[in-house]
């Protein structure tokens, strides 16, 4: 194989990846007769035994509804769920647990904020600034919010290398900007945005700032107080936790004045048939029975990550990306989409004469799971004039050997379609 260098030349001595992998049951299976090489981590990560066990334990021992019963099971379930609020608070260094709102995921969190802005804070003449590299979850809710309120949606351009055009971002900020909503890390390009800078510029014109942390949260520590953003949102399932869980962190002054989103049980103070009053944060935004088991699983995922040598694993992920990028560059006809100087664990690419879906299907026959498509970032595809890309995305449990299996499989695709 032309592109390969020996995996033995690279190592991450401080982490035992085999021991880590042993904790992820899904990784140990064959797909089409090959050991699974799971490189679709930007879509969702696999779950460690600790998370699976925490969910099972809840259903086997503590299952009850929360915040309602006076009986022991309900108190236990409530305690376990509320403990996770504290875990998340510490994880992102939020000032207080009530500033952590449990949601269904990043999409749900952004919809909550966009809905509130449309109802209470946006009017004709106001502007919302996003970027051209957002996931649809951070585009469409703002299109809706602007449509409803008469505000105008602007976006900052992407440079040819996949970095955000910082000049364009600054140019499009003004005293009219009510909120700047942008991604920490692009899911389609891997670009890590210089969010500290962007937050500073947005705050300087008096705009609120929402960071979409979906692709960042599993790959570097986040400190919301240091960032000084107004909102930071992410999904549990990209953080080794369960699907259907997510977090919305907000500054207290925003959460207090943001109007309610979904309404019903659990989020009220008093209901009369003539009208209702609402609970304070966080419950104001948590209508209905929450995903109790999932939230407990999310807590277990964060505890799991804390028990790992996370700094070394972040370095390991960066080395995987560097190795994959280096090998991919040697494959004739392969074009990497997104070559920012600072990237997280995403390698998006096209191959001459091969549709990305065919790459994905062929790789699956070799046991290699990648995503092919527009990655819910159609504007990025338009910007780079491609219908879709194939995307390998790495996590803490991936190995150099897997990177090479992936590259070998891509090389076979190229030869097959040549
Ligand atoms: N924002 C970003 C940057 C994302 O990458 C995703 C999901 C979302 C928002 C939405 O997250 P959800 O958990 O609410 O669905 N990204 C992807 C992806 O890249 N492949 O599958 C899902």
């Amino acid at each position: 194989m032309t592109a390969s260098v020996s995996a033995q030349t690279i190592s991450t001595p401080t982490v035992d990846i085999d021991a880590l992998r042993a904790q992820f049951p899904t990784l140990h299976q064959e797909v089409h007769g090959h050991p699974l090489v799971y490189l679709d981590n930007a879509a969702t990560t696999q779950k460690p035994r600790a998370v699976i066990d925490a969910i099972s334990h809840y259903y086997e021992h503590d299952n009850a509804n929360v915040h309602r019963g006076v009986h022991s099971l309900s108190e236990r379930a409530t305690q376990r769920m509320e403990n996770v609020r504290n875990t998340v608070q510490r994880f992102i260094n939020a000032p207080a647990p009530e500033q952590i709102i449990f949601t269904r995921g990043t999409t749900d969190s952004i919809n909550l904020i966009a809905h509130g802005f449309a109802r209470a804070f946006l009017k004709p003449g106001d502007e919302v600034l996003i970027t051209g590299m957002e996931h649809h979850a951070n585009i469409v809710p703002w299109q809706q919010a602007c449509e409803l309120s008469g505000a105008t949606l602007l976006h900052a351009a992407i440079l040819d290398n996949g970095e955000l055009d910082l000049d364009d971002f600054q140019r499009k900020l003004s005293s009219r900007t009510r909120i700047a909503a942008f991604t920490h890390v692009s899911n389609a390009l891997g670009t890590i945005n210089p969010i500290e800078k962007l937050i500073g510029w947005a705050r300087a014109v008096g705009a609120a700032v929402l960071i979409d942390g979906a692709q960042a949260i599993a790959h570097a520590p986040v400190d919301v107080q240091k960032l000084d953003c107004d909102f930071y949102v992410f999904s549990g399932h990209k953080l080794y936790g369960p699907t259907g869980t997510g977090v919305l962190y907000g500054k207290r002054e925003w959460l207090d004045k943001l109007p309610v989103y979904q309404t019903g049980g659990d989020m009220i103070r008093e209901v009369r048939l003539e009208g209702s009053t609402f609970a304070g944060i966080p419950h104001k935004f948590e209508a209905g029975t929450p995903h109790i088991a999932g939230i407990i699983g999310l807590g277990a995922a964060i505890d799991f990550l804390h028990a790992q040598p996370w700094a070394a694993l972040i370095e390991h992920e960066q080395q995987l990306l560097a190795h994959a990028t280096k090998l991919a560059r040697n494959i004739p006809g392969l074009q990497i989409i997104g070559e920012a100087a600072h990237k997280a664990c995403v390698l998006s690419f096209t191959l001459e004469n091969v549709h990305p879906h065919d790459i994905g299907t062929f790789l699956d026959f070799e046991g290699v799971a990648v995503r092919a498509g527009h990655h819910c970032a159609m504007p990025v595809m338009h910007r780079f004039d491609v219908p879709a890309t194939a995307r390998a995305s790495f996590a803490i449990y991936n190995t150099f050997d897997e990177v090479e299996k992936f590259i070998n499989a891509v090389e076979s695709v190229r030869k097959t379609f040549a």
Side-chain angles (χ1 to χ4, degrees):
M1 212 281 295
T2 50
S4 184
V5 299
S6 166
Q8 276 80 54
T9 60
I10 307 153
S11 65
T12 313
T14 45
V15 279
D16 182 347
I17 300 294
D18 286 342
L20 181 66
R21 290 176 67 81
Q23 300 186 60
F24 288 82
T26 7
L27 294 178
H28 307 282
Q29 60 177 297
E30 292 200 339
V31 170
H32 297 299
H34 300 276
L36 168 66
V37 174
Y38 186 78
L39 300 180
D40 194 17
N41 295 288
T44 199
T45 51
Q46 298 304 335
K47 317 306 171 201
R49 172 62 64 198
V51 169
I52 300 165
D53 286 350
I55 295 168
S56 300
H57 186 278
Y58 163 73
Y59 280 128
E60 285 179 20
H61 298 277
D62 304 325
N63 180 54
N65 213 326
V66 290
H67 304 142
R68 299 165 195 223
V70 290
H71 62 80
S72 300
L73 264 61
S74 177
E75 278 177 11
R76 246 170 21 225
T78 304
Q79 191 61 52
R80 285 175 141 260
M81 190 182 106
E82 290 305 321
N83 282 346
V84 177
R85 218 182 286 280
N86 296 309
T87 302
V88 175
Q89 178 210 345
R90 288 191 299 271
F91 183 55
I92 60 171
N93 193 30
E98 59 270 22
Q99 288 171 259
I100 303 298
I101 314 296
F102 291 126
T103 66
R104 288 192 299 123
T106 307
T107 304
D108 196 28
S109 300
I110 297 174
N111 271 279
L112 189 162
I113 300 163
H115 171 267
F117 265 73
R119 272 189 68 188
F121 307 121
L122 294 176
K123 58 182 188 319
D126 288 347
E127 291 173 356
V128 172
L129 178 60
I130 60 171
T131 81
M133 67 172 79
E134 301 308 315
H135 185 280
H136 298 166
N138 200 29
I139 302 174
V140 188
W142 295 113
Q143 290 173 336
Q144 290 289 305
C146 288
E147 211 174 282
L148 285 170
S149 65
T152 303
L153 184 60
L154 303 181
H155 70 269
I158 312 173
L159 299 173
D160 288 342
N161 67 357
E163 291 179 5
L164 187 65
D165 183 336
L166 301 183
D167 293 336
D168 196 45
F169 183 89
Q170 275 188 293
R171 256 195 310 276
K172 285 178 176 152
L173 274 174
S174 76
S175 57
R176 291 183 298 278
T177 316
R178 291 283 83 78
I179 184 164
F182 46 86
T183 196
H184 194 163
V185 171
S186 156
N187 71 319
L189 300 165
T191 309
I192 303 175
N193 281 320
I195 59 166
E196 295 82 356
K197 237 186 236 174
L198 305 180
I199 292 168
W201 292 337
R203 293 188 62 76
V205 299
V209 180
L210 157 65
I211 309 292
D212 174 352
Q215 292 297 340
I217 196 70
H219 303 291
V222 165
D223 181 331
V224 291
Q225 291 192 71
K226 206 154 142 199
L227 287 172
D228 199 24
C229 53
D230 297 282
F231 303 102
Y232 195 99
V233 300
F234 61 91
S235 302
H237 70 96
K238 296 184 200 284
L239 183 65
Y240 310 103
T243 55
T245 63
V247 167
L248 156 57
Y249 156 78
K251 279 193 179 163
R252 186 183 293 275
E253 56 267 35
W254 275 112
L255 295 179
D256 282 341
K257 65 187 176 189
L258 203 64
V260 295
Y261 180 44
Q262 293 202 321
T263 54
D266 250 17
M267 53 73 69
I268 48 86
R269 181 155 290 133
E270 185 168 10
V271 176
R272 290 173 183 267
L273 291 173
E274 296 73 27
S276 306
T277 54
F278 305 127
I281 60 169
H283 303 297
K284 164 185 170 183
F285 294 114
E286 294 179 356
T289 301
H291 186 2
I292 306 163
I295 292 166
I296 289 167
L298 173 61
I302 294 171
D303 290 343
F304 165 82
L305 209 51
H306 273 308
Q308 310 305 318
W310 200 22
L313 289 170
I314 291 168
E315 176 58 27
H316 170 69
E317 287 181 335
Q318 281 293 324
Q319 288 185 19
L320 292 173
L321 177 68
H323 190 46
T325 304
K326 184 169 146 196
L327 298 185
R329 285 206 176 106
N330 292 335
I331 297 178
L334 186 148
Q335 194 197 347
I336 295 174
I337 308 292
E339 301 215 67
H342 300 287
K343 278 182 68 173
C345 300
V346 167
L347 184 69
S348 240
F349 63 97
T350 57
L351 204 51
E352 211 169 35
N353 302 324
V354 194
H355 193 280
H357 286 134
D358 291 330
I359 303 175
T361 306
F362 191 100
L363 262 55
D364 183 55
F365 280 116
E366 302 285 315
V368 181
V370 298
R371 182 162 176 192
H374 52 63
H375 315 294
C376 297
M378 277 183 169
V380 174
M381 303 299 119
H382 297 151
R383 167 65 180 82
F384 289 91
D385 203 19
V386 291
T389 71
R391 181 189 68 183
S393 51
F394 308 101
I396 51 175
Y397 42 62
N398 288 124
T399 66
F400 294 102
D401 182 52
E402 288 183 311
V403 166
E404 296 188 2
K405 281 185 177 146
F406 152 66
I407 292 288
N408 282 330
V410 175
E411 179 72 357
S412 312
V413 181
R414 185 190 72 81
K415 284 186 181 141
T416 306
F417 285 82

